Amino acid sequence: MTSIPKHGRSSAELLSELEQRKTHDTKWREGRVFSLVYHVPGTAGEEHEKLMQRAHALYASTNLLNPMAFGSLKQLESDIIEMTGRLFHCAGAVGTVTSGGTESILCAVAAYRDRARRTKPWIRSPELIVPQTVHPAFDKAAHYFGIKLIKVAVGADFRVDVRAVAAKINRNTIGLVGSAPQYPHGVIDPIAELGELAQKKKIPLHVDACVGGFVLPWIERLGRRLPLWDFRVPGVTSISADLHKFGYAAKGASVLIWRSIDAMRHQIFVATDFPGGLYASPTLLGTRPGGPIAAAWAALSSFGEDGYIALAKTAIDAADRLRLGIEAIPGLSLIGKGDATIVTYGTTESVEAAADTSLIPSLMRKVRGTGGEEIYAIADRMEARGWTIDRQQKPASIHLTVTANHASVVDEYLRDLAMSVAEVRQDPSLAKSGTAPMYGMAAKMPLRGFVASQVRKVMAEMYSKGAPS
Ligand SMILES: *Cc1c(COP(=O)(O)O)cnc(C)c1O
């Protein structure tokens, strides 16, 4: 049992304890983890880390809750929004920096609900139409704010079916969502078509570019053809984009950016009766830490276009090499033709089942669990070799968000993967041991409520008193 020490301990002792405590965490600097950490490789990376720490520290005690008190912090936020607006081809864009993608999305959904309350007062049960592949932050937003999330199936290319979206629009619709790209398979939804539909029906369109916002523009600059997804699409009203992902900023920074202040207005919450004073806040957080904002501003300014283009080139080359290498391993197949630096693969069997949409209209239903245990067993073998693996379902697959830091581990990853596949092929009992059966079962189980209660139980255990750390 730990309590606050009676007498304070020295900084030196504490810092060395912290160093010690983190030694068994995942090896993110060595590129052994995907999607959780975005690290810049080499000595440039060391310099960049120092810059992030110093910029963060300079503003660590500041608070954007009152922009009048911290004018310089408000200016840093405005600079970030202006830079991002131009990057997304809308010089007059407005917006806020938030603590992360989830906060950006929660704020956007709350704003669209409140906008509808003003403009469509008849709506009792607001509905937001999203692709089935949309990030769970939208489920969370719908859950928190009492909104019905209408999920629309994706096609064989994993992009949302725009005709199916159109069919779901009704009097209760408060907005549409598309992703650029969606996280599971790394493909960009047909934003231009969604934008046209949104304009025709006079409803707003949010683009979730949390993972793509700070890498797609550079990939485009490198000469790759990408579908349009930003403010060049006239129907797009807002975009979420994470600075703490491909912006390579310190954790805790994302932007929610709007085409105009008219659209953004509904994001601003005001309380007038608090004895503590008038209270206005545009984001979920009350106290808004200045550290991540200062660090994000420093990241954008220190890399510049050149720096980001070079990082994007390194990442996309690494992703290409991974795709080639994975396709060369018998029994494995890529899932989705990623528009960004996301690589997803499964066993050929499960991928082919996923591609066969002829029997049941919903692709996601069709592929539930096929071949799952085998890829999950491969994931187990990879983890035994020191990798932290992201497992996916529907279809069962392994996911890699490839950053510049992964360029140096491509060969090692492919070698380990080939060995892991061979092991599982040679010894099918591996699919019945380790975590594979659990993931396989959870993916296949038709009773999603039961899965939720089991996962909640595991999580609650982690948070229970006396649980082993
Ligand atoms: C990461 C991500 C989010 C959520 O961002 P957090 O920073 O983890 O809250 C939302 N959408 C997509 C597509 C993402 O990749």
Side-chain angles (χ1 to χ4, degrees):
M1 293 298 278
T2 309
S3 38
I4 296 175
K6 195 159 182 63
H7 305 291
R9 300 166 57 194
S10 78
S11 329
E13 188 190 342
L14 292 172
L15 291 174
S16 96
E17 180 174 333
L18 287 174
E19 288 288 351
Q20 178 58 33
R21 281 190 183 217
K22 58 182 202 158
T23 47
H24 296 297
D25 285 347
T26 184
K27 301 274 176 283
W28 54 268
R29 253 196 211 90
E30 292 84 340
R32 291 266 165 177
V33 62
F34 300 83
S35 82
L36 295 173
V37 181
Y38 294 70
H39 178 61
V40 178
T43 47
E46 284 167 33
E47 280 303 306
H48 177 64
E49 239 187 295
K50 269 188 218 140
L51 174 65
M52 289 301 92
Q53 290 163 2
R54 287 197 194 140
H56 197 289
L58 281 170
Y59 276 81
S61 302
T62 65
N63 185 348
L64 194 50
L65 175 57
N66 183 344
M68 259 92 86
F70 292 100
S72 75
L73 188 52
K74 177 70 194 75
Q75 190 56 51
L76 292 177
E77 180 185 41
S78 302
D79 288 357
I80 292 171
I81 297 299
E82 269 182 49
M83 291 189 239
T84 309
R86 293 224 164 80
L87 184 64
F88 297 170
H89 299 94
C90 179
V94 294
T96 48
V97 176
T98 68
S99 63
T102 299
E103 197 193 2
S104 291
I105 289 164
L106 290 177
C107 287
V109 174
Y112 285 127
R113 186 200 59 182
D114 289 356
R115 176 185 189 269
R117 278 182 177 164
R118 283 286 179 86
T119 59
K120 300 180 175 180
W122 61 83
I123 296 183
R124 288 280 148 75
S125 170
E127 297 180 4
L128 185 68
I129 304 176
V130 302
Q132 204 158 3
T133 50
V134 88
H135 191 276
F138 288 90
D139 296 78
K140 198 180 201 179
H143 177 71
Y144 281 3
F145 304 139
I147 287 158
K148 201 161 146 196
L149 211 56
I150 308 294
K151 293 204 177 171
V152 176
V154 298
D157 59 356
F158 295 97
R159 297 173 217 271
V160 75
D161 178 346
V162 179
R163 273 172 45 202
V165 172
K168 295 286 185 192
I169 295 175
N170 63 31
R171 289 166 46 82
N172 294 327
T173 306
I174 62 167
L176 308 181
V177 176
S179 309
Q182 42 96 312
Y183 172 88
H185 319 100
V187 301
I188 302 176
D189 282 317
I191 305 297
E193 287 85 346
L194 286 175
E196 222 172 278
L197 179 62
Q199 279 199 305
K200 201 171 87 195
K201 299 282 186 181
K202 296 195 170 50
I203 40 183
L205 168 62
H206 178 82
V207 173
D208 180 19
C210 275
V211 71
F214 290 98
V215 71
L216 293 176
W218 313 124
I219 293 176
E220 195 181 323
R221 295 275 198 95
L222 285 164
R224 296 215 180 187
R225 281 185 65 85
L226 290 178
L228 291 188
W229 59 271
D230 58 19
F231 288 120
R232 282 173 289 182
V233 175
V236 172
T237 43
S238 57
I239 298 175
S240 45
D242 291 351
L243 292 153
H244 65 198
K245 288 183 182 158
F246 283 99
Y248 294 94
K251 284 284 182 268
S254 168
V255 297
L256 171 57
I257 190 158
W258 302 81
R259 187 184 288 279
S260 74
I261 193 69
D262 272 344
M264 182 190 164
R265 205 173 292 278
H266 305 281
Q267 194 194 320
I268 301 164
F269 172 81
V270 182
T272 53
D273 295 336
F274 180 43
L278 290 175
Y279 187 100
S281 157
T283 56
L284 284 193
L285 300 188
T287 288
R288 297 177 64 199
I293 298 175
W297 178 88
L300 292 173
S301 318
S302 79
F303 289 124
E305 296 185 352
D306 297 348
Y308 278 121
I309 289 171
L311 286 167
K313 171 133 184 51
T314 308
I316 200 146
D317 287 347
D320 285 345
R321 280 165 56 218
L322 279 163
R323 287 193 187 104
L324 275 176
I326 289 164
E327 278 196 307
I329 298 175
L332 294 185
S333 292
L334 295 171
I335 299 180
K337 284 208 174 66
D339 292 314
T341 67
I342 284 172
V343 176
T344 305
Y345 63 94
T347 60
T348 304
E349 182 197 7
S350 65
V351 176
E352 276 169 6
D356 176 16
T357 56
S358 53
L359 299 178
I360 301 178
S362 165
L363 164 66
M364 292 307 192
R365 218 175 303 142
K366 170 82 177 83
V367 299
R368 187 177 281 154
T370 317
E373 283 80 358
E374 201 172 16
I375 195 76
Y376 296 137
I378 292 166
D380 281 351
R381 298 315 303 148
M382 288 297 279
E383 294 210 319
R385 293 186 157 87
W387 301 91
T388 298
I389 301 295
D390 297 322
R391 297 164 177 82
Q392 302 198 132
Q393 53 181 351
K394 306 180 181 189
S397 50
I398 290 176
H399 179 282
L400 298 99
T401 306
V402 183
T403 68
N405 194 40
H406 295 113
S408 60
V409 299
V410 168
D411 294 333
E412 197 184 348
Y413 185 94
L414 291 171
R415 208 170 49 234
D416 285 356
L417 182 57
M419 286 198 284
S420 300
V421 171
E423 277 171 6
V424 172
R425 282 283 140 97
Q426 222 167 46
D427 181 2
S429 78
L430 287 173
K432 297 192 178 67
S433 60
T435 71
M438 181 192 73
Y439 282 105
M441 161 101 91
K444 260 184 277 201
M445 171 71 63
L447 306 168
R448 304 316 286 170
F450 176 74
V451 176
S453 73
Q454 291 304 303
V455 173
R456 191 170 286 115
K457 217 157 109 184
V458 171
M459 198 83 178
E461 219 137 272
M462 276 189 236
Y463 279 91
S464 305
K465 256 174 121 177
S469 57

